[in-house]
Amino acid sequence: MLLEGDITADVIVVGGGLSGTRTALGLAESGAKVALLEAKRIGWGASGRSGGQCNPIWRATPQDLAGRLGDACANRLVRATLTSADDLFADIRRYDIDCDAEQNGWVQAAHCKSEAASLIELAEAWNAVGGEIGVLEGPEVAKVSGSEAYRFALFHKRGGHVQPLSLTRGFARAAEKHGAQLYENASVRSMSRVNGKWKVATSTGSATARQVILTTNAYTNGLWPGLQQTFFPMVSISLATAPLSDSLQQSVLPGGVTISDSRRAIYYARYDRDKRLIFGCVGSNDSVETLGGIKRLQRGLDTVFPQLKNTPIETVWAGRIAVTPEMMPHLHEPDEGVLAALGFSGRGIAMTSVMAKGLVHKTMGGSEEDLPFPVTPIKRIPFHWAATKMLPLAAPAMTIRDSLDGILGRK
């Protein structure tokens, strides 16, 4: 639907990705009049281009989180994290979302010995607070994952995968059924205060509400001062093979698990519903070809699953992800009636829903003391402009460092 003329709402959500659509759904269910504005199409950005993996754990331990957030907030986040995957798949069933959801487990593999030690520490810390993380060693890793490239891995039985664009659109349809108004091709040009409310203007119309929620994540622009400088716009690139034969399916991710590893230029893989293998890694910009991106993808596929060497590649794509310095999402309230949530750092499939429920809670008058994420001031990354200019070189540099892990004998 195109935004035309001037409309009013209780809440305006800017951004039609996973966090935006799930927030709109929760608000509409709570009785709020919601208008969601998306600059392109629903799910056009990272939410429709991600690896689709539901990885229900942070890279930090619960103790690390307590040190950063304080015990009370960390405890809430830990509880929400432990149930995040089950909660997401329950929502998919509840709203009858057709998104090829599979909850068959996630293999988190170590690409070298030093990372194996780090994963052991991570598993022990999360298991101590109620996690159910298993350990795979030696031949067990290949048996579960189908890859001989790793000798140690964690197994998260609650992990899984979805078709991310279908999930996003499913949340959007559910939000509309509950009364939310969704507008596409509604790029927001300005926000201004008018008589105690916020007026959000596009090229074709405007919306006015007491509350605005910004959920633009890696595609955040300069709409709100400083917000774009709080994260690094990294890029995820992916390929899809031709559908695999029955015999290859038995040797690659048997049982339909997902996999990702500990490389800096991370490798990850899952199946789609037609049994194509989706394989991804870190890219340099919105073009998969930049600085050898396709070659890195192909080398990675050959490294992890050499049995697919002669399997045709059907398509490739890229999408931005917002990575914060802490590798954790940010929740901001830069002004009265404005919330912003972004920076899921590769954990967006499950954690956007966790964040969305927090946004709904706060918008509907709930206490900040019940939120899983703290409300923090906008803090610009020093020399962000320079670092962003250098980001295209990050993927090749990380790939070299990953290779050195093996050369230096840590494999």
Side-chain angles (χ1 to χ4, degrees), residues 57 61-63 117-131 133 135 154:
I57 191 176
T61 66
Q63 293 82 358
S118 297
L119 288 182
I120 290 173
E121 179 182 349
L122 188 70
E124 290 176 346
W126 280 94
N127 282 340
V129 296
I133 304 171
V135 171
L154 303 181

Side-chain angles (χ1 to χ4, degrees), residues 2-17:
L2 181 66
L3 177 61
E4 296 180 299
D6 302 316
I7 67 167
T8 61
D10 297 322
V11 187
I12 299 166
V13 178
V14 181

Side-chain angles (χ1 to χ4, degrees), residues 120-398:
I120 290 173
E121 179 182 349
L122 188 70
E124 290 176 346
W126 280 94
N127 282 340
V129 296
E132 299 178 72
I133 304 171
V135 171
L136 305 173
E137 297 185 85
E140 290 181 302
V141 182
K143 181 179 179 181
V144 175
S145 70
S147 175
E148 299 282 353
Y150 310 105
R151 304 303 296 168
F152 182 90
L154 303 181
F155 184 69
H156 305 259
K157 69 177 185 179
R158 299 191 184 282
H161 61 86
V162 299
Q163 209 296 333
L165 180 57
S166 297
L167 176 61
T168 308
R169 290 176 174 172
F171 281 146
R173 283 191 293 270
E176 286 186 308
K177 287 180 181 178
H178 284 84
Q181 298 292 309
L182 276 58
Y183 300 93
E184 296 183 315
N185 299 309
S187 179
V188 176
R189 295 188 169 186
S190 65
M191 286 176 56
S192 57
R193 218 29 138 155
V194 179
N195 298 324
K197 295 184 179 181
W198 288 99
K199 185 173 183 178
V200 176
T202 73
S203 62
T204 59
S206 66
T208 301
R210 290 193 179 276
Q211 178 74 56
V212 176
I213 302 176
L214 305 177
T215 58
T216 45
N217 205 41
Y219 293 84
T220 296
N221 56 23
L223 179 63
W224 193 271
L227 192 59
Q228 190 176 17
Q229 288 76 43
T230 61
F231 65 91
F232 297 112
M234 300 293 288
V235 175
S236 173
I237 58 177
S238 302
L239 61 78
T241 69
L244 302 190
S245 65
D246 290 344
S247 61
L248 282 175
Q249 290 174 41
Q250 292 173 14
S251 72
V252 174
L253 301 183
V257 301
T258 67
I259 188 170
S260 61
D261 69 17
S262 58
R263 284 176 169 84
R264 299 167 185 87
I266 184 173
Y267 293 154
Y268 57 85
R270 67 169 174 89
Y271 280 113
D272 75 359
R273 65 182 176 186
D274 297 316
K275 299 306 178 182
R276 298 177 182 86
L277 189 75
I278 310 300
F279 187 91
C281 70
V282 178
S284 292
N285 67 16
D286 292 337
S287 171
V288 181
E289 292 84 0
T290 301
L291 295 175
I294 289 179
K295 290 182 179 179
R296 279 200 308 280
L297 271 174
Q298 188 66 66
R299 283 198 303 269
L301 183 63
D302 292 345
T303 297
V304 179
F305 299 114
Q307 60 268 53
L308 299 183
K309 192 171 184 63
N310 297 318
T311 301
I313 305 304
E314 288 194 345
T315 190
V316 296
W317 66 91
R320 300 180 206 168
I321 58 174
V323 177
T324 65
E326 309 86 357
M327 301 294 287
M328 297 286 294
H330 292 172
L331 172 57
H332 305 299
E333 189 174 23
D335 203 342
E336 183 181 355
V338 179
L339 292 171
L342 69 157
F344 294 93
S345 304
R347 292 289 190 267
I349 295 297
M351 295 306 166
T352 46
S353 285
V354 174
M355 179 66 82
K357 292 171 184 178
L359 290 169
V360 171
H361 173 82
K362 181 166 173 55
T363 301
M364 300 306 292
S367 170
E368 287 186 16
E369 295 181 357
D370 297 324
L371 296 175
F373 298 102
V375 180
T376 59
I378 290 176
K379 184 178 179 181
R380 301 180 192 225
I381 298 171
F383 305 106
H384 181 271
W385 64 272
T388 301
K389 292 288 186 183
M390 298 296 290
L391 275 181
L393 299 175
M398 289 189 292

